[in-house]
Amino acid sequence: MITCYLRYVIDPYKLKEFEHYAKLWIPLVTKLGGTHHGYFLPHEGANNIALALFSFPSLADYEVYRKRMAEDADCQAAFGYAEETRCILSYERTFMRPVF
């Protein structure tokens, strides 16, 4: 299994818009074969950092997801929403493997 860890720098004045964006992506990842573990929004401490975690059985499966995502109208609409609202300032993507 491979888990994608996304660290977002968000506009703290657009937290509502980012939360809407997050809620768009959770079912999309599931629809395209992944397991979404949720988004984590600021509560205490830094007010401009948010996280997301989702997993795929392998990195190859993640690559299939990326290809399907590029062709999916709902995914493109979600990206468009983020661009339109400018709720995301930047992000980092890291892949991790679990240890049980």
Side-chain angles (χ1 to χ4, degrees):
M1 176 184 356
I2 194 83
T3 298
C4 183
Y5 165 91
L6 283 164
R7 180 183 183 273
Y8 295 94
V9 177
I10 62 172
D11 183 334
Y13 298 103
K14 295 182 179 178
L15 185 57
K16 183 175 110 179
E17 290 84 353
F18 182 79
E19 186 168 350
H20 176 75
Y21 172 81
K23 288 177 179 178
L24 293 173
W25 273 105
I26 292 170
L28 292 173
V29 168
T30 302
K31 175 176 105 172
L32 297 178
T35 301
H36 211 296
H37 307 293
Y39 280 82
F40 302 87
L41 305 182
H43 182 68
E44 284 292 322
N47 68 350
N48 67 334
I49 302 299
L51 305 173
L53 295 165
F54 56 92
S55 298
F56 285 87
S58 68
L59 192 54
D61 291 313
Y62 172 79
E63 292 300 329
V64 170
Y65 156 79
R66 293 280 297 181
K67 186 175 185 175
R68 290 180 62 201
M69 179 182 65
E71 300 167 353
D72 186 275
D74 294 330
C75 293
Q76 296 310 306
F79 283 130
Y81 176 82
E83 286 181 16
E84 176 186 314
T85 62
R86 300 185 126 359
C87 59
I88 300 169
L89 303 177
S90 65
Y91 68 91
E92 301 168 0
R93 183 181 311 134
T94 302
F95 295 93
M96 302 180 146
R97 61 178 176 81
V99 176
F100 296 107

